[in-house]
Amino acid sequence: MKKFLNLLKKEIKELVTFQLIASLLFTLVLFYFIGNIARSEMGKVQGVKHISVLDLDQSDLSGEILRNLAFANFKIDLLEANNKEIAIEKMRRQNIPLLLVIPDGFAGSVSSFRPKEIETYVLVRSFSMGSSINSELVNQIIVSINSYLSDSILKNKIPDINPSVLKNPIKNKSFILVKDKIAEGSIRDVNNFVTSQTIFIPIILMMILVYSSQMVLSAIAMEKQDKTLETLLTVPISRNHIVIAKMLASGLIGLISAGIYMVGFRFYMGGFMGNIPTEGQVGDVIEKLGLRFTPNTYIFLGISLFLAILCALALATILGVLSEDLKSAQSASFPLVFLVLIPYFLTMLSDMNTLSLPLKIIVLAIPFTYPFLSAQNLMLGNYSMVLYGILYMLVVFMVLVFIAGRIFSTDKVLTMKLRFGRRVIR
Amino acid sequence: MDVILRVKNLKKSYGKIFALKGIDFDVFKGEIFALIGPNGAGKSTALRIIATLLSADEGTIEFMGYDARREPERVRENISYLPEEAGAYRNLTGIDYLRFMANFYARDERELEEFVKRGEEISGLGVRLKDKVGSYSKGMVRKLLLARTLMIKPKLAILDEPTSGLDVINSLEIREIIKDFVKEGVSVLLSSHNMLEIEFLSDRVAIIDNGRILETGTPEELKDKYSSKNLEEVFRRIVTYEKVS
Ligand SMILES: Nc1ncnc2c1ncn2[C@@H]1O[C@H](COP(=O)(O)OP(=O)(O)OP(=O)(O)O)[C@@H](O)[C@H]1O
Ligand SMILES: [Mg+2]
């Protein structure tokens, strides 16, 4: 045990390099900044919105419209100009982002039901999030004006009926069914809420799997490249302990790195996800449908993740032994990363149930598919699928460890490297 | 004299290449035994098998009464092996490396300190031991590794070309250290191309070529037998004779 700890300590020391720490910090800072920029851009949409208006009509109605816009949180700048050409020129010169032109005779045209067009102009300075925000603004303005005008017309013509009933004569009530449970609510809200709560799971999973396997791969490849493996293998410690110490150290550091990346990622995503329904709005529905994470869910999720990590580490160990140095280890990690990315994208983008049978078999043969599916399966109560996945991963892990152990206790662990060395000498 | 290592009819092939075609030799307690032979003769292969890194196709190795194939752990506890080409963990300091390796052999804290201290002395690296191994020159790494090999006082030190890559002064120093090392009754099995080194160091040598041992004896015996002034001549005679026949 003392010897094992000695080994484990060394593995960790070897893996925690300056580069690792620097790249972790860099990513954290980068994500933080991107998140902040995104947040402030999103803030522009939700906060007070500036628009410039050229009112050529100067009627009661146009005044009324502008007051109404101000009420809807638009900050209005009235432009002084005799015609729209001058206004547009001004817009260009003063970098005014958005211009609304109410044409002359607008009020009259509306009351005769032949409305003149309201024109909007957007100044493009770059193609970024900001420019699409302006188009969103135009929409909001038009919707807001339309709704105001139709309300006031309806009220005028049919004074004793609420305009909203006229505009939307039917109402609907929507229900959601999950297994044997039922609740009233909007599927969109529930979907959004559940997604916002679970969107991190596959990303964490993917990161942990990729990081820890890359760690163990490089740990083994480094022993080969720096020619330390031969010495280590003659030391009085069991070969299995050597393998386990490497896996454990890599798994540990993989977990920690993934955790740090996740913190950064939360900043990042937090910037983009402005209007996710909050707990309060859909909490009831979620409760009724049993879509909440229980301690049981977490336990199963944990076991599933743990086994997936073990499988990844064992597979990476084998790939590490097969590769001659750090460089070839990097290319050796591609198949593994690929195996993780397939289920990652598939489960994110599509429903497993709709895949064709051969594709489904392939995907289900990949052990890393199961943890990606387990969050959904657990919430929807498909426990058998989760248990099957756990068993399957256990079997795969044992087979892989057996193979890894075999390779480590035979000549192969050395001769593969030696052959390489010889080729170089000649 | 007590035999500490007995190698019998050792055979090893890598695919179609027969690296060892059945070699026999004994190493006695307290002696320095050298395998000498040209490149590709099979020296490293033999040492690797004895160090439990490779498995032999045929033959037996008896070390301190243990069968190396059946009880490799017993062998590993009592030997220390310096590979022909080796490195140390670049991210550790020299002293950390010594401590890390000593930890596998020391039975208690006191012994650990003793090992590390001896390692420091043998390495001769002084304050540089506090630097990361990644910053060492090739020769410095070699000295660190040799210190690691000898500091734990193994019953048998297996050194594959111990002075390769070292300059003249350092090589001399290392030879003195190896010579001192066996004074305490432990043994050394080494390989080398350097006949001068072998003549200075070895009690007995085995000349190996093409996977076979052609001669075994003390340097004096061999020089007499082949009426040569030095081992170099002996070596040349034996190896060229073998080629002709
Ligand atoms: N991993 C390997 N795969 C294939 N052949 C090998 C391997 N290792 C050694 N050999 C072959 O075995 C033979 C003996 O090699 P070995 O390394 O034991 O020689 P050596 O005496 O140590 O030579 P040198 O003085 O160059 O170190 C050579 O013919 C070599 O090509
Ligand atoms: Mg050699």
Side-chain angles (χ1 to χ4, degrees):
Chain A
M1 194 61 200
K2 197 194 83 192
K3 288 181 189 175
F4 179 73
L5 287 181
N6 183 38
L7 198 58
L8 185 65
K9 207 172 83 190
K10 176 231 118 196
E11 294 298 344
I12 293 175
K13 260 194 206 168
E14 275 279 293
L15 287 176
V16 182
T17 57
F18 173 73
Q19 286 97 311
L20 178 79
I21 296 172
S23 80
L24 280 178
L25 284 181
F26 177 75
T27 322
L28 206 58
V29 170
L30 190 74
F31 274 172
Y32 180 77
F33 274 114
I34 296 178
N36 261 352
I37 292 170
R39 194 168 303 131
S40 74
E41 288 288 318
M42 299 297 272
K44 282 182 198 158
V45 189
Q46 277 143 27
V48 183
K49 295 149 266 194
H50 286 265
I51 48 171
S52 298
V53 176
L54 173 65
D55 184 2
L56 295 171
D57 195 32
Q58 302 282 2
S59 63
D60 282 353
L61 184 65
S62 67
E64 200 54 36
I65 285 174
L66 294 183
R67 250 192 309 284
N68 197 267
L69 281 178
F71 190 68
N73 229 352
F74 287 98
K75 174 105 178 50
I76 292 167
D77 252 339
L78 276 177
L79 271 190
E80 297 293 328
N82 292 332
N83 58 36
K84 69 179 179 199
E85 279 71 32
I86 297 176
I88 290 170
E89 197 43 47
K90 235 183 196 166
M91 181 182 184
R92 284 218 173 87
R93 251 184 294 116
Q94 298 174 9
N95 266 338
I96 293 167
L98 189 62
L99 173 68
L100 187 77
V101 179
I102 302 177
D104 190 13
F106 179 70
S109 75
V110 168
S111 48
S112 62
F113 295 106
R114 258 189 226 91
K116 284 192 166 174
E117 280 156 339
I118 288 185
E119 291 171 359
T120 55
Y121 296 83
V122 175
L123 183 69
V124 174
R125 272 171 300 180
S126 68
F127 291 97
S128 69
M129 267 174 72
S131 34
S132 65
I133 285 168
N134 278 332
S135 99
E136 180 62 25
L137 275 184
V138 171
N139 268 337
Q140 286 180 19
I141 292 166
I142 301 304
V143 166
S144 164
I145 295 175
N146 265 331
S147 136
Y148 168 72
L149 284 180
S150 67
D151 276 7
S152 64
I153 293 169
L154 285 172
K155 229 183 245 163
N156 242 329
K157 299 268 169 188
I158 317 170
D160 38 333
I161 296 179
N162 185 346
S164 78
V165 175
L166 280 172
K167 283 203 269 187
N168 300 305
I170 63 154
K171 293 248 182 310
N172 100 309
K173 219 175 191 186
S174 53
F175 295 89
I176 307 164
L177 277 75
V178 174
K179 286 244 150 166
D180 51 351
K181 302 195 182 80
I182 184 165
E184 186 188 343
S186 122
I187 181 63
R188 198 163 133 225
D189 286 354
V190 169
N191 204 8
N192 279 351
F193 180 77
V194 171
T195 313
S196 76
Q197 298 296 295
T198 55
I199 191 168
F200 299 101
I201 293 174
I203 299 168
I204 300 177
L205 262 170
M206 199 250 314
M207 281 188 171
I208 295 178
L209 289 180
V210 170
Y211 276 112
S212 36
S213 45
Q214 242 149 19
M215 288 274 163
V216 81
L217 247 169
S218 64
I220 292 173
M222 230 149 65
E223 294 263 8
K224 290 195 152 195
Q225 179 166 301
D226 295 345
K227 302 208 163 52
T228 48
L229 188 62
E230 241 181 290
T231 311
L232 191 63
L233 293 178
T234 61
V235 154
I237 181 167
S238 108
R239 300 266 164 107
N240 285 340
H241 282 185
I242 296 177
V243 179
I244 295 171
K246 282 199 189 302
M247 287 194 190
L248 205 60
S250 313
L252 219 64
I253 291 174
L255 268 171
I256 294 173
S257 317
I260 293 176
Y261 276 105
M262 278 320 301
V263 173
F265 199 74
R266 268 223 114 108
F267 281 137
Y268 178 76
M269 289 302 284
F272 290 99
M273 301 201 296
N275 38 7
I276 285 197
T278 56
E279 179 75 48
Q281 287 169 283
V282 285
D284 259 9
V285 188
I286 298 287
E287 196 71 61
K288 274 192 199 136
L289 294 175
L291 293 179
R292 200 168 287 290
F293 272 23
T294 62
N296 259 346
T297 328
Y298 282 112
I299 291 171
F300 275 116
L301 211 59
I303 296 175
S304 197
L305 171 62
F306 182 68
L307 278 169
I309 294 178
L310 289 183
C311 284
L313 289 176
L315 186 57
T317 306
I318 294 172
L319 293 174
V321 174
L322 295 182
S323 48
E324 291 129 355
D325 51 23
L326 215 53
K327 232 180 168 166
S328 53
Q330 237 113 48
S331 25
S333 76
F334 284 140
L336 203 156
V337 173
F338 198 61
L339 282 185
V340 175
L341 287 184
I342 291 175
Y344 171 66
F345 282 117
L346 274 182
T347 51
M348 249 192 359
L349 302 177
S350 79
D351 184 354
M352 278 297 294
N353 301 315
T354 59
L355 292 181
S356 69
L357 189 68
L359 202 59
K360 205 163 163 180
I361 290 173
I362 292 174
V363 172
L364 289 183
I366 301 174
F368 309 118
T369 302
Y370 298 93
F372 285 109
L373 292 177
S374 45
Q376 296 243 353
N377 277 331
L378 285 169
M379 274 198 299
L380 296 175
N382 301 330
Y383 284 94
S384 59
M385 184 72 181
V386 177
L387 282 176
Y388 166 71
I390 287 176
L391 276 179
Y392 180 67
M393 285 193 284
L394 199 65
V395 171
V396 171
F397 173 65
M398 288 193 307
V399 171
L400 288 175
V401 163
F402 178 76
I403 296 173
R406 275 310 292 259
I407 296 179
F408 249 83
S409 53
T410 59
D411 294 8
K412 287 210 180 54
V413 64
L414 285 178
T415 45
M416 293 184 166
K417 178 202 81 181
L418 292 175
R419 208 169 294 146
F420 176 76
R422 232 145 264 278
R423 239 185 260 141
V424 169
I425 292 166
R426 269 192 200 140
Chain B
M1 266 211 280
D2 293 343
V3 174
I4 187 166
L5 175 73
R6 170 157 288 164
V7 176
K8 270 197 197 146
N9 192 30
L10 205 60
K11 291 186 184 169
K12 175 75 180 175
S13 64
Y14 302 98
K16 279 187 236 100
I17 303 170
F18 289 89
L20 294 177
K21 299 169 181 166
I23 58 167
D24 305 77
F25 62 87
D26 292 342
V27 176
F28 300 125
K29 226 175 151 215
E31 79 166 344
I32 298 180
F33 186 91
L35 286 179
I36 55 179
N39 292 125
K43 305 180 293 292
S44 298
T45 303
L47 297 190
R48 279 202 183 103
I49 294 173
I50 296 165
T52 74
L53 280 172
L54 300 181
S55 52
D57 299 339
E58 242 180 81
T60 56
I61 296 168
E62 196 183 309
F63 174 72
M64 290 173 64
Y66 301 115
D67 179 342
R69 187 192 290 275
R70 251 183 279 138
E71 297 180 275
E73 312 82 36
R74 290 280 97 75
V75 176
R76 286 179 197 144
E77 280 163 14
N78 291 290
I79 62 158
S80 192
Y81 166 65
L82 175 68
E84 181 172 14
E85 261 183 89
Y89 300 102
R90 306 174 57 81
N91 237 353
L92 300 186
T93 64
I95 195 80
D96 280 348
Y97 177 68
L98 292 179
R99 192 170 291 276
F100 165 66
M101 295 302 288
N103 246 316
F104 291 113
Y105 300 90
R107 278 162 305 196
D108 53 41
E109 207 54 32
R110 199 187 49 77
E111 200 173 46
L112 177 72
E113 292 311 318
E114 190 190 309
F115 286 169
V116 174
K117 190 153 166 288
R118 189 163 40 240
E120 279 184 68
E121 278 163 19
I122 297 175
S123 77
L125 290 170
V127 289
R128 291 301 304 273
L129 278 174
K130 293 207 178 68
D131 295 341
K132 291 223 164 140
V133 172
S135 73
Y136 287 9
S137 75
K138 205 168 86 188
M140 288 166 76
V141 173
R142 197 70 187 160
K143 278 165 89 178
L144 182 72
L145 292 175
L146 194 84
R148 181 227 86 212
T149 313
L150 299 181
M151 73 181 172
I152 57 159
K153 288 205 173 162
K155 296 286 187 320
L156 174 70
I158 302 173
L159 312 174
D160 201 348
E161 299 185 26
T163 55
S164 84
L166 292 182
D167 62 34
V168 182
I169 307 289
N170 277 313
S171 299
L172 282 173
E173 236 177 75
I174 296 289
R175 280 173 208 148
E176 293 295 341
I177 291 167
I178 295 173
K179 208 130 197 172
D180 275 351
F181 175 74
V182 287
K183 285 193 183 128
E184 296 175 40
V186 290
S187 319
V188 171
L189 168 62
L190 58 80
S191 85
S192 181
H193 300 127
N194 187 332
M195 296 302 148
L196 234 68
E197 176 169 297
I198 295 292
E199 213 165 339
F200 170 79
L201 272 177
S202 321
D203 297 307
R204 291 190 309 131
V205 302
I207 294 179
I208 178 172
D209 187 23
N210 204 7
R212 283 206 178 83
I213 288 185
L214 307 178
E215 278 291 354
T216 311
T218 67
E220 296 310 316
E221 279 169 9
L222 294 183
K223 278 190 278 187
D224 277 355
K225 184 169 172 187
Y226 290 88
S227 44
S228 312
K229 289 191 297 296
N230 53 38
L231 265 187
E232 208 156 61
E233 234 178 284
V234 175
F235 183 72
R236 206 167 45 225
R237 287 212 174 134
I238 296 177
V239 172
T240 44
Y241 172 76
E242 177 75 5
K243 290 255 151 63
V244 170
S245 68

